[in-house]
Amino acid sequence: MPLIDYNKKRFLVIDDLVEARSMVRDTLKEAGASKIDVAMSANAAMEYLRTRHYDLILSDYNLGRGKDGQQILEEARHNRLVPHTAAFIMITAETSPEMVMGALEYQPDGYISKPFTRAELRRRIDRMLQQKEQMREVNVLLDRQDWASALQLTEALLDSKPQLAGKLLRIKGTLMLELEYYDDARRFYAAQLKDRHMPWALFGLARACFHMHDYDKAVEYLQKLMLDNQYFVKADDWMAKTLTVQGDYRGAENILLAAIAKSPKAVLRQMELGKVAALNKDWTTSEQGFKRAIMLANHSVYRCADNYLGFIEAVLQQLEAGQTLPKATLNQVEESLNTLDNDFKGTATDALRSRYQACQP
């Protein structure tokens, strides 16, 4: 495998601790890197990502107050600031299941646990850059969202570079779904599962069935995936989505609650729980889902009026049913109404205020 010319690559190091930043930066310099930017906070990191292209981003998970490393990755993916041609490596000393699950859900290209030596870090970076170099042509097309050309190239590379088959097959299936070749995707994923069980292929097969409105088969495959891989939480999300389409709101709510117990930091899942619980008229759970979404989205691109509106509606439904709620919850309703007025101009809050005032003793 060819050596990486570090001098031709641009790097971003994100860490709030000077010693940690220096260790990573010095490792890169020893490898020959000269274009290294350093961010001491999430805000500084986001500004760099908005204005410069990087080949590799190394971010610590815990960055003090404000956004953490997961939220940087989340926002960067959402705004397409980290292209497929770039690599994002998460660094952390934390090992709690909540943190690990949350970080992995947003799919960093690599994950390094502290403590580690410079030699270990160098090996991981070398391997990551080499992988990206091997996949560059495909990744360029993915960044352009030229799905058809990317699929054509992927199929050609499967013949010429069989050593990359593991990654290329996953990309091929994803591209078929993007192009809405659902019948072809269904046959492709089924073929991958003939010889051995592969979670990614079973997940793809379930999604293909969902898009073809074969919901019973989608449920069957997702159930198998969830049984064999309890931490493959995206399967839980699609199971909840499938049950919602089938009108089984209670079942969807239970699935989301179980998924949240495994990975509680995923803001989109908390938002979905709030919505599904509302469909199920479980206003207590809906309130909790939206309340958690508001908290998690505070430093996120997913901070939106719908979270506050959903929370207020869930509380109002309980008050109008004659329930007594804690003072802290009522205070948060007031705060949410004010937030809607101040931060989300144009949101109609008069009717909500009137309903809330009518519930006061």
Side-chain angles (χ1 to χ4, degrees), residues 270-307:
Q270 297 283 359
M271 292 166 64
E272 189 64 22
L273 174 63
K275 295 173 187 176
V276 170
L279 290 172
N280 195 34
K281 300 193 183 303
D282 180 354
W283 300 110
T284 301
T285 301
S286 181
E287 173 204 330
Q288 294 303 315
F290 282 120
K291 183 186 292 186
R292 181 77 171 164
I294 288 170
M295 184 189 73
L296 290 171
N298 190 37
H299 299 288
S300 163
V301 289
Y302 298 114
R303 185 175 185 267
C304 62
D306 284 349
N307 290 337

Side-chain angles (χ1 to χ4, degrees), residues 1 11 21 25 29 31 37 72 98 104 126 155 163 184 228 232-233 235 258 262 279 295 299 302 342 358:
M1 194 171 288
F11 302 87
R21 292 197 304 272
R25 182 180 56 199
K29 284 184 176 180
D37 292 321
I72 290 176
E98 176 178 330
L104 293 181
D126 274 349
E155 290 174 333
Q163 71 274 18
D184 289 342
D228 295 341
F232 198 132
V233 288
K262 290 180 280 191
L279 290 172
M295 184 189 73
H299 299 288
Y302 298 114
N342 296 329

Side-chain angles (χ1 to χ4, degrees), residues 86-350:
F88 191 110
I89 296 179
M90 190 77 74
I91 302 173
T92 184
E94 299 186 44
T95 57
S96 67
E98 176 178 330
M99 185 285 304
V100 173
M101 287 301 301
L104 293 181
E105 278 211 68
Y106 289 97
Q107 300 178 358
D109 297 281
Y111 181 83
I112 303 178
S113 296
K114 298 178 182 178
F116 51 81
T117 65
R118 290 190 183 186
E120 290 169 334
L121 179 61
R122 173 67 188 277
R123 284 195 295 271
R124 294 292 294 276
I125 295 173
D126 274 349
R127 186 160 62 247
M128 187 60 60
L129 291 174
Q130 287 164 350
Q131 288 176 358
K132 287 294 179 180
E133 199 62 38
Q134 289 178 313
M135 299 291 294
R136 174 166 292 278
E137 292 178 276
V138 173
N139 285 331
V140 167
L141 293 173
L142 293 177
D143 287 331
R144 293 176 186 166
Q145 296 188 328
D146 185 350
W147 311 133
S149 297
L151 179 58
Q152 185 177 11
L153 178 58
T154 298
E155 290 174 333
L157 290 175
L158 278 167
D159 292 331
S160 63
K161 295 185 177 181
Q163 71 274 18
L164 300 178
K167 288 184 176 294
L168 291 170
L169 288 170
R170 293 190 187 205
I171 292 173
K172 179 177 178 178
T174 300
L175 288 169
M176 286 180 168
L177 293 177
E178 287 285 357
L179 289 162
E180 300 183 6
Y181 297 165
Y182 299 134
D183 195 39
D184 289 342
R186 187 172 186 167
R187 288 195 295 270
F188 166 76
Y189 284 120
Q192 304 311 306
L193 292 164
K194 279 186 177 179
D195 297 326
R196 57 193 177 119
H197 173 73
M198 292 180 287
W200 65 267
L202 190 58
F203 184 49
L205 181 58
R207 285 181 292 159
C209 290
F210 175 91
H211 288 300
M212 296 176 72
H213 309 295
D214 190 349
Y215 301 123
D216 289 340
K217 275 294 181 184
V219 167
E220 177 186 331
Y221 296 138
L222 290 167
Q223 282 178 332
K224 179 173 176 54
L225 185 57
M226 292 162 63
L227 183 64
D228 295 341
N229 305 269
Q230 63 171 318
Y231 289 111
F232 198 132
V233 288
K234 289 189 181 297
D236 298 56
D237 293 333
W238 277 81
M239 176 66 86
K241 184 175 182 177
T242 306
L243 294 177
T244 299
V245 169
Q246 293 180 306
D248 183 1
Y249 305 135
R250 182 178 298 279
E253 180 182 331
N254 289 335
I255 291 293
L256 289 170
L257 285 168
I260 285 168
K262 290 180 280 191
S263 182
K265 288 198 67 177
V267 61
L268 290 177
R269 188 169 298 120
Q270 297 283 359
M271 292 166 64
E272 189 64 22
L273 174 63
K275 295 173 187 176
V276 170
L279 290 172
N280 195 34
K281 300 193 183 303
D282 180 354
W283 300 110
T284 301
T285 301
S286 181
E287 173 204 330
Q288 294 303 315
F290 282 120
K291 183 186 292 186
R292 181 77 171 164
I294 288 170
M295 184 189 73
L296 290 171
N298 190 37
H299 299 288
S300 163
V301 289
Y302 298 114
R303 185 175 185 267
C304 62
D306 284 349
N307 290 337
Y308 295 92
L309 291 168
F311 167 72
I312 294 168
E313 181 63 32
V315 172
L316 287 175
Q317 288 285 346
Q318 294 174 77
L319 292 174
E320 289 168 348
Q323 296 182 41
T324 302
L325 299 180
K327 180 65 174 175
T329 300
L330 303 182
N331 289 340
Q332 191 168 351
V333 171
E334 293 278 7
E335 293 170 5
S336 296
L337 287 166
N338 291 334
T339 298
L340 288 170
D341 287 337
N342 296 329
D343 298 350
F344 300 97
K345 306 295 184 182
T347 305
T349 57
D350 290 345

